[in-house]
Amino acid sequence: MKSSNIGGQAVLEGIMMRHKDVYSVAVRRPDGEIEVKTQPYKSLVKSEALKRTPIVRGVFNFIESLVVGMKCLTYSASFFEEEEEGAREAPVLSQKEKEEAEQKKQKQDNLLMGMTVAVSIVLSVAIFIMLPYFIASFLRRVTDSESLIAIAEACVRLVIFLGYIALISRMKDIQRVFMYHGAEHKCINCVEHGLDLTVENVMKSSREHKRCGTSFLLFVMIVSIIFFLFIRVSSPWLRVVVRLLLVPVIAGVSYEIIRLAGSSDNRFVNLLSKPGLALQRLTTREPDESMVEVAIAAVEAVFDWKAYLRENRP
């Protein structure tokens, strides 16, 4: 079956699902009810030509995904902040004071979100791009072989990345998020394999998917290794500059690969996807039925899966 073009992300006790120009967030509230919020997806890019330009579209898509993901995480966290605040006696406010307080909170949230996204990007580049370079640079004291140093940098980059994934996968709070991540994948796989979107069918579906963000990050690592193996400059400070300038290009190329993987069943493409699928064993967990219910609610808020099945089911 053809790709449904649904994408998603696990949040705190919930799931975000996006399809075309709308996205939803479904959260299991502390009282057990499922809260679903639907919002229009507003792209940072207004030019249709840029949206269709390979590699360039991937850079903007990556940034937009970070922004929307952070919004959804903030929204899901608000339910548990409200639960804690509910235990304390809230001050009595007039309607005008409530509106002013809400506007002030919205501005603070937007500022915090922008800063968080910026810091996340800077830290990611520093840890996964620059740190391996500086560690591998110590080899220059014992060898002049640029190929050996480049291979060492590649190995260090992969070790840091895989070590990071393995480390966070052991955290109890993160493991629950990974269960929702698994529910997200299972829902998409269920629909794309021609099954009705029911709890029973979703539970039987795979928790691995070729368009996963985990696979994207692994492709970023692999593409960066290939780029840095073949693009070399002699000046030490130029090496740093080149690595920084190539970050958007690497993200764009990785996006194109993951986009191809999600829309093709070519044997070579499937083979290329296998390392990412294997890594998803760490970043997803088998969900329970209550989590699947949340995932289904998120999908149904933005996607008519029944119409999709009528059109595509063999």
Side-chain angles (χ1 to χ4, degrees):
M1 298 186 76
K2 72 175 185 180
S3 172
S4 63
N5 292 318
I6 310 173
Q9 172 187 318
V11 296
L12 296 176
E13 292 302 321
I15 289 172
M16 178 273 286
M17 286 288 188
R18 174 191 161 195
H19 182 248
K20 294 184 178 179
D21 57 355
V22 64
Y23 70 92
S24 65
V25 191
V27 180
R28 179 76 70 178
R29 293 166 36 150
D31 62 7
E33 295 297 316
I34 299 175
E35 182 86 13
V36 182
K37 178 183 179 182
T38 305
Q39 291 281 348
Y41 179 81
K42 297 179 181 178
S43 176
L44 298 173
V45 183
K46 304 305 177 184
S47 170
E48 291 299 322
L50 282 179
K51 291 179 182 179
R52 293 191 298 269
T53 304
I55 299 180
V56 174
R57 62 189 173 189
V59 177
F60 288 109
N61 186 275
F62 173 66
I63 296 172
E64 289 171 354
S65 296
L66 285 177
V67 173
V68 172
M70 194 57 62
K71 281 183 179 179
C72 295
L73 279 171
T74 302
Y75 173 74
S76 63
S78 67
F79 288 96
F80 305 97
E81 292 172 359
E82 289 172 3
E83 183 186 29
E84 293 176 1
E85 291 173 359
R88 301 189 296 268
E89 186 176 348
V92 179
L93 300 175
S94 65
Q95 185 62 32
K96 183 179 179 181
E97 288 173 330
K98 287 181 180 178
E99 291 176 357
E100 290 176 348
E102 184 62 31
Q103 290 176 355
K104 182 179 179 181
K105 185 178 184 300
Q106 185 64 42
K107 289 180 180 179
Q108 291 174 339
D109 287 346
N110 289 340
L111 177 61
L112 179 62
M113 181 186 64
M115 292 175 62
T116 303
V117 170
V119 170
S120 298
I121 293 175
V122 171
L123 284 177
S124 297
V125 171
I127 295 172
F128 299 114
I129 300 295
M130 301 313 303
L131 181 60
Y133 164 71
F134 287 117
I135 292 175
S137 294
F138 285 109
L139 280 177
R140 297 183 190 281
R141 298 177 181 179
V142 295
T143 181
D144 293 327
S145 173
E146 290 297 328
S147 296
L148 182 60
I149 293 170
I151 292 172
E153 181 183 347
C155 292
V156 171
R157 181 168 291 111
L158 280 176
V159 167
I160 291 176
F161 175 67
L162 296 175
Y164 169 78
I165 295 294
L167 184 63
I168 65 170
S169 68
R170 297 178 64 85
M171 299 170 63
K172 289 185 178 180
D173 291 341
I174 297 298
Q175 286 176 2
R176 190 160 180 84
V177 173
F178 284 176
M179 290 173 74
Y180 275 104
H181 189 194
E184 172 219 330
H185 283 190
K186 280 174 170 284
C187 267
I188 298 174
N189 277 321
C190 177
V191 172
E192 291 184 343
H193 284 80
L195 300 175
D196 288 347
L197 195 60
T198 64
V199 172
E200 181 182 2
N201 286 340
V202 172
M203 291 295 290
K204 292 187 296 185
S205 299
S206 171
R207 71 174 200 257
E208 301 168 3
H209 199 281
K210 290 190 291 185
R211 286 188 285 110
C212 175
T214 302
S215 295
F216 170 77
L217 292 176
L218 183 59
F219 279 128
V220 166
M221 294 296 109
I222 295 172
V223 171
S224 67
I225 288 169
I226 295 171
F227 272 43
F228 299 151
L229 274 173
F230 293 100
I231 300 176
R232 301 178 185 178
V233 292
S234 56
S235 171
W237 72 270
L238 271 180
R239 292 192 200 104
V240 174
V241 172
V242 165
R243 277 158 175 73
L244 293 176
L245 292 178
L246 283 177
V247 168
V249 181
I250 291 168
V253 171
S254 301
Y255 172 80
E256 296 302 325
I257 296 173
I258 205 78
R259 192 170 184 267
L260 173 65
S263 60
S264 174
D265 281 325
N266 179 277
R267 287 185 179 182
F268 175 73
V269 173
N270 288 339
L271 182 64
L272 202 63
S273 300
K274 285 189 178 296
L277 295 175
L279 190 59
Q280 288 173 38
R281 287 289 174 180
L282 286 177
T283 62
T284 62
R285 293 285 188 275
E286 285 295 332
D288 59 34
E289 291 187 355
S290 68
M291 294 175 175
V292 167
E293 290 171 353
V294 175
I296 291 174
V299 171
E300 292 183 332
V302 297
F303 183 71
D304 188 349
W305 60 269
K306 293 180 181 179
Y308 171 85
L309 291 183
R310 283 196 300 270
E311 181 182 347
N312 296 284
R313 178 181 278 164

